[in-house]
Structure formats: structure tokens, C-alpha cells
Amino acid sequence: MDENELRTALRATITQHAEPPPMESRTALVTARRAARRRTVLACAGTAVVVLGVTLAALPGQGYLGGGTGWAPAAGPSAPAEALPTAFPSGAVPTEENTKPSWPAEASGDATADSGVHYQHGVALLEKLIEVAPAGYTVPNGTGPEDIPWRYHQATVEGDHWAYLVSVPLVKDGRTGQVLVEVHEPGNDLPADVCELATSFWGIGGACEKPDIGGTEVGVVTGPSGRDGVDQWVAYRHPDGTVVFLAQGLSTSGEGGTPLKSLPFTVDRLVELATGGLFK
């Protein structure tokens, strides 16, 4: 296909198909960031832009550009070629300034805070997580494979609220597991039902249980062994709407090493930490 044939095919596509609805960039970034957490806790920052690129890879009912399958115009009667549109539905010409989302000043260029009160809150959550490491375990510092820090913290804007993710490795007898906390401020759109909340964590799923702890609703899940570096977690929604996920794993997120022989925390201890005020 030469340049003229490609231009004709593009024009035919525009004239024969309804214009797709505009993408809400903030929603796309939030969705991608949550998916990135599921893939790996230590490499989730900065992956949200993948979603924006994927949406441009194909047009409805057409072949893929650059995919080796050629271009397949839509079937049906041909339409007269028209000039390509040059404006948004609103009449505004797309520019870098009016298409990118507006992030808070403390997040320089994306949804991840690199300074300010939310960044510092992430640092504080990391310190608290280190403090509650069980006796007999050490929390290494420095970096692991690919120079990724072992001790990790992040604060991100998710829609109308902030979310925090912190994780640390736990080492005992030359074996390495991990514990992590994910906190969502009030105003989040996470499920209200405690078991729906628990099984929504990173999309892992699993069987949810509701232990009887004096009327406090908590969801406890023991997931597929080792998936995404977590084996068990607790989900709890505080009365003010703050959501806390506290998870532990026998190994880290695909970083190699010898797994722990047993999980570091008991379920009772996980519930105690998740429902207390330590990680709010």
C-alpha cells in the first residue's frame, strides 16, 4: 500500500463510521495504574500511558497498522472521499495543552506525587510498615534486581482521591517474602461490600471469608498461591471511607530468591493492623 491508498482508506473509515466518544484521559490513566499494580508492585510507577497507546493501535472493523496483515477497508458501498476533519467536536484544535490531564502541583507531569504532603504521607506509611515487621525478620534496604528499591512507596491521584502503595521485603533464614499496604482515601469508588472489596484487590480474586471480630466487617482472602507476589490479604473500610488492603506473600513480585517457609503474619495480626488507625 502506498501513501495515497492509505490516505483514501483513512478517509473512507472516517466517513463510514460514527465518531468514537472522546477518551477520558484521567480514567484511562487510573485504570492502567491499577492494572500495573496487579502485574508487579515494584514496577507500577509510570505504566499508565500504555493504555493511551493501545487505543490508537486499531480502528473498529479494520486491520492493524503495522501488524503485517495489510489494510482491510470496511465492506459496503464506497463513499465519496472527503477532507479529513480538523477539529474536535467542541471545535477546539487538539494541542498538548488541552488534551493532557491537569495534575496537582506536587505531581510534576503525571499522577504520581514527587513532593508535598501526599508524597510525605507515603514515606510515613512506609516507615510504619517497617516498624511492624514480625520478630525474627529483617527488612533489607538498597536495591534489588534492575536497581529497583526494595523499600517502595508511592502516592498517586486516582480520580477524586489519593491512593498510597508501600511494600517491603521480609527476610528470614536467607529466604525472602514481602508485605505491602495499599490505602485509598475517602471518596474512592471501591466496592462497599467487604468481600467484593477484598476480591477486587488487583483483580486476583480468591475465596473471601468474614471472620467474627466483634462486629467489625473485614474481608480475608487467601488467593492463588504466589500470584503477583501475594498469597493472603485483608481488606477493610474505615467508617470515614478510607480503604486499607494489607497483603503478605511467601515471595516477592517475580524477583527470584528462595520463598519463605510460612507467611510472616497470622490472620489475626493482619486484621489487627488493617482495622487499626496505623495505616490511615
Side-chain angles (χ1 to χ4, degrees):
M1 174 180 288
D2 61 25
E3 180 180 351
N4 291 328
E5 291 173 326
L6 177 59
R7 184 182 296 108
T8 300
L10 288 172
R11 286 176 175 170
T13 298
I14 292 171
T15 57
Q16 295 176 24
H17 294 274
E19 182 177 0
M23 171 178 284
E24 172 53 57
S25 56
R26 181 181 295 273
T27 301
L29 289 171
V30 168
T31 301
R33 186 164 282 103
R34 287 175 177 170
R37 287 199 183 101
R38 176 185 173 186
R39 289 193 297 272
T40 167
V41 63
L42 295 178
C44 64
T47 58
V49 295
V50 173
V51 165
L52 299 180
V54 169
T55 59
L56 300 178
L59 294 172
Q62 308 301 320
Y64 289 84
L65 291 175
T69 59
W71 182 267
S78 60
E82 296 180 7
L84 292 172
T86 58
F88 285 145
S90 63
V93 176
T95 67
E96 180 180 358
E97 293 303 317
N98 63 24
T99 57
K100 68 181 181 180
S102 176
W103 304 119
E106 59 187 297
S108 301
D110 59 24
T112 304
D114 50 21
S115 63
V117 61
H118 296 97
Y119 176 87
Q120 292 301 327
H121 186 58
V123 174
L125 288 175
L126 177 61
E127 293 174 349
K128 293 175 181 179
L129 186 59
I130 295 171
E131 291 174 0
V132 299
Y137 291 84
T138 59
V139 181
N141 207 343
T143 59
E146 300 182 6
D147 293 326
I148 298 175
W150 282 119
R151 301 179 179 186
Y152 180 83
H153 67 89
Q154 176 178 281
T156 58
V157 179
E158 294 205 355
D160 296 325
H161 76 283
W162 282 84
Y164 307 89
L165 177 66
V166 298
S167 70
V168 297
L170 294 177
V171 177
K172 182 178 182 180
D173 300 329
R175 299 171 177 267
T176 305
Q178 71 172 336
V179 60
L180 63 90
V181 176
E182 183 172 302
V183 180
H184 293 259
E185 290 185 341
N188 60 76
D189 59 356
L190 296 172
D193 179 82
V194 66
C195 270
E196 290 183 11
L197 177 67
T199 54
S200 74
F201 179 64
W202 292 7
I204 299 175
C208 175
E209 298 179 355
K210 296 182 180 180
D212 183 3
I213 52 174
T216 301
E217 287 197 339
V218 178
V220 179
V221 175
T222 299
S225 180
R227 182 172 173 181
D228 299 315
V230 295
D231 296 271
Q232 188 178 65
W233 62 91
V234 170
Y236 176 66
R237 183 182 292 275
H238 287 271
D240 68 352
T242 301
V243 168
V244 175
F245 296 102
L246 181 58
Q248 61 178 340
L250 293 171
S251 60
T252 57
S253 302
E255 298 299 331
T258 305
L260 296 172
K261 292 183 177 180
S262 60
L263 291 171
F265 294 95
T266 64
V267 171
D268 288 346
R269 181 56 172 160
L270 284 180
V271 171
E272 178 186 359
L273 291 172
T275 60
L278 185 64
F279 296 118
K280 284 188 63 178

